Amino acid sequence: QVQLQESGPGLVKPSQTLSLTCTVSGGSISSGGYYWSWIRQHPGKGLEWIGYIYYSGSTYYNPSLKSRVTISVDTSKNQFSLKLSSVTAADTAVYYCARERGGTGATLFVDIWGQGTMVTVSS
Amino acid sequence: QSVLTQPPSVSEAPRQRVTISCSGSSSNIGNNAVNWYQQLPGKAPKLLIYYDDLLPSGVSDRFSGSKSGTSASLAISGLQSEDEADYYCAAWDDSLNVRVFGGGTKLTVL
């Protein structure tokens, strides 16, 4: 079955760029029909959807984060990545990569989650 | 303040039935499908219900979802201690153009 695994630094300094990678195993990103997304959870809080990418490179971002977010895909490595620029302490959270299915846009839903990785923004 | 409103906590005894509500508006629940997730302590969320009332393969039929107007509900019957978790509803919001989540409900099995 498809599994997702996040990787990247657990500590990022304020004003720098947070970079995470999600490695997909058990299936190909290029097979189509799925969108690949990032979602975060602030400590002790609820979930915030960041955005998604299709294997073709088409993206959609949360408008509230759009100016700082870049999601990219590397089909040769079966990976997709998140970059969040100009981070502050408010970006401290557990970051999940996930798979979405069910059409496009409003009809999509997350069906598989990675285990999550904690990222702390601190000097 | 979450766009979708859930009670912070619910509790019920083992073997009983509990429902968790999720209240929204015409721009989200009223016009789009609702999905539910279970998050066990220290774990990633897991899909429980999609498209309002559909069960993914492998999910116990003790879980069920429903929707009416701008509100949705998750019901869990035959409560077990292993059901203790946080539960989140989610839907697309046409006004904000983003997927929104409820604030989560912590279920305690007494």
Side-chain angles (χ1 to χ4, degrees), chain B residues 23-64:
Chain B
S23 178
S25 68
S26 58
S27 65
N28 42 66
I29 293 178
N31 197 44
N32 294 300
V34 177
N35 310 303
W36 289 91
Y37 299 91
Q38 175 194 60
Q39 187 174 32
L40 296 170
K43 300 294 187 181
K46 168 192 170 184
L47 179 66
L48 273 187
I49 298 287
Y50 67 102
Y51 290 171
D52 300 337
D53 58 9
L54 300 182
L55 256 67
S57 174
V59 172
S60 170
D61 59 5
R62 295 187 299 107
F63 296 93
S64 62

Side-chain angles (χ1 to χ4, degrees), chain A residues 21-25 27 29-30 73-80:
Chain A
T21 295
C22 182
T23 300
V24 179
S25 59
I29 280 182
S30 302
V73 64
D74 186 336
T75 55
S76 67
K77 295 182 179 179
N78 224 31
Q79 296 175 333
F80 62 105

Side-chain angles (χ1 to χ4, degrees), chain A residues 61-122:
Chain A
Y61 303 137
N62 184 329
S64 70
L65 298 169
K66 185 177 181 179
S67 63
R68 299 194 292 131
V69 172
T70 302
I71 299 177
S72 58
V73 64
D74 186 336
T75 55
S76 67
K77 295 182 179 179
N78 224 31
Q79 296 175 333
F80 62 105
S81 299
L82 169 70
K83 290 189 185 299
L84 182 65
S85 64
S86 305
V87 297
T88 69
D91 295 308
T92 293
V94 174
Y95 286 76
Y96 295 99
C97 62
R99 187 184 80 170
E100 304 200 29
R101 65 178 174 99
T104 60
T107 62
L108 288 168
F109 60 95
V110 175
D111 69 335
I112 298 176
W113 300 70
Q115 67 181 31
T117 187
M118 180 69 199
V119 178
T120 300
V121 178
S122 175

